[in-house]
Amino acid sequence: MTKSIPTKSIPTKTIRAGLLAVATLLTVGAAPAHAAPQESLPGNWLHLTVTQGDLTSSSVHGALLLCDPPGGQHSHAAQACAELRAAGGDISRVPPRADVLCSMIYAPVTAAALGEWDGRRITYKHTFSNSCVMEAETGAVFQLSD
């Protein structure tokens, strides 16, 4: 005769939330850590990533932005550095573009930055409803390709 062990069921919503949190940490945490410089670079710099889609079908693009002088792997380094200088290195203070109209199509994009600006550690992460909204709100900072 075998004894049955009482089990407690865990709601599916809780399991999904836990898996989502773990997958997010693995996806977002792995990309910048692998590609970001291990030691501090001279001057102002940011390692930028843009993750398109959800966890089941995402693609990550990244670039190093150097601003003293403008360069790195960023397609629009001079413009991005100028916008960041005007905002004191605070991506959330980059003035939004008023002349852009974006569709209301939901295609989530997560923008993340890790680096240094005027001796301060910079970390930024925000999910936008689509890439048009991201570029309208962050200027050239996350415009990683032409």
Side-chain angles (χ1 to χ4, degrees), residues 128-144:
F128 299 91
S129 58
N130 60 50
S131 58
C132 177
V133 173
M134 177 189 68
E135 289 180 14
E137 292 186 21
T138 62
V141 175
F142 289 100
Q143 197 174 14
L144 303 182

Side-chain angles (χ1 to χ4, degrees), residues 18-34 51 55 58 60 125:
L19 290 173
L20 181 63
V22 170
T24 301
L25 288 173
L26 291 174
T27 303
V28 175
H34 182 274
T51 306
L55 291 176
S58 64
V60 179
K125 184 177 178 185

